[in-house]
Amino acid sequence: MRILIVGAGPAGLAFACSLRARGIHATIIEHRARGDSQGHAVGLHGSGWRVAERLGLLAELAEQAFPLHLAN
């Protein structure tokens, strides 16, 4: 089976990780140039949090997370 995932955003990468955990290799393509230095913050809420938990990613995400301080 050959799987192509279009987009290396959070959903594409999470899908690829889920497949790999099941022993399935996927190829990911992304239109942005490698080394894009802009970076993006990703917040998980509701179903996104539950999906990350089911994928076994919460511990790793917590290690890489940084606190957000909201102004009162």
Side-chain angles (χ1 to χ4, degrees):
M1 176 185 321
R2 294 173 57 174
I3 297 176
L4 176 66
I5 299 173
V6 179
L13 295 176
F15 186 46
C17 288
S18 178
L19 291 172
R20 172 140 314 166
R22 290 161 177 76
I24 301 169
H25 175 77
T27 300
I28 303 170
I29 60 172
E30 172 60 52
H31 77 276
R32 291 184 193 230
R34 185 178 201 131
D36 184 357
S37 62
Q38 291 179 352
H40 302 279
V42 176
L44 294 178
H45 306 281
S47 60
W49 186 268
R50 288 188 293 277
V51 168
E53 184 176 36
R54 280 188 232 144
L55 292 172
L57 299 174
L58 288 183
E60 186 175 346
L61 290 173
E63 289 175 14
Q64 297 182 34
F66 60 93
L68 295 176
H69 301 287
L70 302 176
N72 290 346

